[in-house]
Amino acid sequence: ASANNTKTEKALDFTLKDLDGNKVSLSDFKGKSVYLNFFATWCPPCRLEMPDIEKIHQKYKDQGLVVLAVDLGEDRDTVKSYIEKGKYS
């Protein structure tokens, strides 16, 4: 198959609250490159990959990369503590 026949699909939009209680939608970042990561603070592979994701963010943020880390199963205080302890952006 030719690369010209590749079908692309638009990501479904969603809106969640950030750690400060502000609403953030995926569509807020239209036109930017977005690294979307679903994680949990208790998840061993998630804990291993988070420092590397932070490095990617620091390396490419000035080129427009947006990193969104989404945790749907834990309360705000648990996630905020994890992010602060790891010094993740």
Side-chain angles (χ1 to χ4, degrees):
S2 168
N4 294 334
N5 293 332
T6 303
K7 182 180 177 184
T8 60
E9 294 184 31
K10 185 177 177 182
L12 296 176
D13 194 23
F14 60 85
T15 302
L16 298 169
K17 289 186 180 179
D18 67 13
L19 293 175
D20 296 321
N22 302 309
K23 288 185 178 181
V24 177
S25 297
L26 182 59
S27 60
D28 294 342
F29 306 101
K30 186 175 181 178
K32 294 189 177 211
S33 296
V34 176
Y35 186 127
L36 182 58
N37 184 48
F38 292 89
F39 80 103
T41 64
W42 51 264
C43 165
C46 302
R47 295 176 76 85
L48 286 173
E49 72 185 0
M50 198 64 94
D52 291 330
I53 294 171
E54 179 66 22
K55 287 177 189 172
I56 291 168
H57 169 68
Q58 294 301 328
K59 184 173 181 178
Y60 295 105
K61 67 181 180 179
D62 293 337
Q63 297 174 38
L65 177 68
V66 175
V67 175
L68 298 177
V70 179
D71 184 326
L72 296 173
E74 298 178 275
D75 65 79
R76 180 189 165 280
D77 291 338
T78 299
V79 175
K80 186 170 184 170
S81 175
Y82 175 79
I83 295 297
E84 288 174 352
K85 282 181 187 173
K87 297 180 182 166
Y88 302 125
S89 304

